[in-house]
Amino acid sequence: MSKFSKPRLGTNKPEKTDGIHPSVLKQARRSGVLNLSQRGLTIVPEEVWSVQEYVPEEAKSVSMDNTEDKWWDVVDLTKLILASNHLTTLGEGLRNFQALTVLDVHDNQLTSLPQAISQLEQLQKLDISRNQLRELPSQIGYLVNLTSLHVEHNHLTELCPNVLRLQKLEFFDASNNQLTSLHKQISYLCQLRQLNVSHNKLTQLPSEIGDLTALRLFDATHNQLLSLPENLGNLRNLEQLHIRHNQLEYLPTFHSCANLKEILAGNNNIRGLTDELLENLKSLTCLDMRDNKLAKLPDKIVALEKLERIDLTNNDISVLPFQLGAMTSLKAVILDGNPMRSIRRDIIMRGTAELKKYLLSRLKDEENESESLTDAGSNSALPTGNQDPLSHHDLHQMKSLDYSNKKQATLPDEVMKAAAEAGVRAVNLSKNLFSDLPNSLDAIAHTMVELNLGVNKLTQLNPRIGNFSKLQMLDLRSNQLSDLPSELSSLISLRELIISSNRFNKLPSVVFELKKLEILFANDNRIAQLDHTGFLKLDKLGTLDLQNNDLSQIPPEIGNCTWLKSFALTGNPLRNPRPAVLAKGTPALLEYLRSRIVE
């Protein structure tokens, strides 16, 4: 029997509806899936809203012992598909389907959504695309389990802030609307993997978009963007960037986008590609720069070691770097519409293989110099303690030192010397045997922004940590720490602190001095109480994870921390608030806590 509905034995509903065969409703009661797409519906028949409630007429004479037709064995409706009809409204009967996980009403004529949609807390996929919506109701913000949201091809001019609080959302398509801006609360969508805002009227993007660190695909094609925020470089999981048909004059440096594989930036006003930009795109396989204003292709293009395709159609390029011919992975170079002077037209017309062969032949005069530079630079290796080579090339390309999982207790001086020369920004020393902060790290104190010391043997953190004032991320997980030094307060740029799986009985007071802190993971410790006055100081904190600690109650004053986007508390022996409150999500939890404050 459905936990959300019970059959009423005396109900006598008609067996037929216009365009809906009784067998369709009967099957829906058994399978939990009702598909009424492409049926020419102008309204949702009442029989749909009561599909889980009424008793078929013929069933009244059926014995309860009849095992062939158990009409009372009704399952909750989990999928409702009303796509490609002529619906102008949905009824409030939608509240009858609180077990729905999929609701698809795309390709209709809806101008609004019913308030009852807020009751669908189990909903995971919502498709309301290709309708006539001019705004999204705030009630969508209650769909705390939503992972996929399609609102494309409507008439939206803005996105409701409540919609931007759907913390489990992974796929969001808002393309083909009338959006002129994105709210900075877009950063709340911390699980978002794909974001499509193409074919809108965006002139700029908020810098907070750089907080979407789970993002893998971002499509802002066909807008009016004049520039991209430098924070876009924080998207370390980004794989595809589509920004064709805008008004961009340059690209950001993508300083941490090590996984970026595809940039489609055609039909803009981009005049050049910087060496720093190319050095950061180690994984790039496809670069589309057609219909821009490029006058040259930098020699540094060879830094794109995995590049397979580059489209330079309709630019102002007259010469190509000879090094292009030595790029072994390159399979397609498209040059139509460029005023090439140094290469004969017939060579270009023969295709990429012949073009590369020609360029490589012209490179021979520079081979000796190139080989000497290679021997002195990218091919030299440093010992790392476990016979794995650590190349200068990797340090300079990624500005990152990965010295993890070496089972070492010291950091070789030659490694840090190379890191200092490369201006390394990120250091990973996790899964080693360090019992103290290596002294040699001081050599890059002025450049380091990320430090990972997780899974080591630290029993205390050296006060020298205060010297790394530019740190933005510090990972100390899985050590043996029970306190943090007061010098940590010198990390005025710290945005992310991870102290999970240590021995903390309480959060160190110095944590509350980190004014720019946005992410705090303190799960799997022994924390038994919280200082609400400290949290009220952290007005930038968006993610707080205190799972699996010893908390028995939460101070109600923490409900005033309305800036919290994600507040995780499961796994604690809580007496208050109850699990049912926690299950409703962070906004509901904060509201509950505020209601408990004694005036």
Side-chain angles (χ1 to χ4, degrees), residues 323 363 365-376 379:
Q323 291 89 339
L363 189 62
D365 293 339
E366 302 175 358
E367 278 186 353
N368 291 335
E369 180 181 355
S370 297
E371 288 176 2
S372 63
L373 288 174
T374 301
D375 290 340
N379 285 340

Side-chain angles (χ1 to χ4, degrees), residues 552-598:
S552 59
Q553 59 181 2
I554 305 300
E557 291 81 2
I558 289 184
N560 289 325
C561 299
T562 54
W563 46 83
L564 276 176
K565 310 166 192 174
S566 175
F567 187 13
L569 287 168
T570 57
N572 282 281
L574 289 169
R575 295 192 299 271
N576 190 39
R578 302 182 309 277
V581 176
L582 299 181
K584 294 182 179 180
T586 299
L589 170 59
L590 296 178
E591 182 178 357
Y592 170 80
L593 290 173
R594 288 194 298 274
S595 72
R596 305 279 294 184
I597 297 176
V598 178

Side-chain angles (χ1 to χ4, degrees), residues 65-92:
D65 296 327
N66 188 331
T67 59
E68 295 182 358
D69 189 7
K70 295 183 178 180
W71 54 264
W72 61 88
D73 192 9
V74 179
V75 300
D76 293 321
L77 201 67
T78 58
K79 293 183 180 180
L80 177 59
I81 303 173
L82 296 167
S84 301
N85 284 292
H86 305 292
L87 302 175
T88 57
T89 184
L90 291 178
E92 293 295 332

